[in-house]
Amino acid sequence: SLDKRKATYDRIGSDISERIATLEKRIEAEMEQLRRKFAAMEQAQARAQSVLGSLQQLANQLAANSGQK
């Protein structure tokens, strides 16, 4: 009957809405995890850049000192 079909379609629609909500929650959780990983990567990159700068400065000082001898 028409009522049974409507009830079936309503259940299907409700199930689809629940699946969408579940997927949205998963996507948001994964996005947050990726944001945290990206921030950590940026921090590590900044530290590496700082170390590289210090090493370059030290290399320049050593080169200058060896040229004075």
Side-chain angles (χ1 to χ4, degrees):
S1 76
L2 191 57
D3 287 339
K4 282 186 179 181
R5 272 195 225 172
K6 183 183 180 316
T8 299
Y9 291 139
D10 286 345
R11 279 195 308 273
I12 291 170
S14 177
D15 184 51
I16 290 171
S17 294
E18 287 176 19
R19 289 182 186 189
I20 289 170
T22 299
L23 288 173
E24 286 175 340
K25 285 179 188 176
R26 278 193 211 161
I27 289 168
E28 186 54 41
E30 189 168 341
M31 289 292 292
E32 185 56 36
Q33 184 180 27
L34 289 172
R35 285 185 198 103
R36 284 193 304 270
K37 286 181 178 182
F38 187 80
M41 183 269 311
E42 283 184 320
Q43 290 173 353
Q45 185 179 19
R47 284 191 301 270
Q49 195 67 35
S50 175
V51 168
L52 180 60
S54 296
L55 290 173
Q56 287 173 336
Q57 189 176 26
L58 182 60
N60 291 339
Q61 288 173 356
L62 288 172
N65 289 342
S66 65
Q68 291 177 352
K69 291 182 181 179

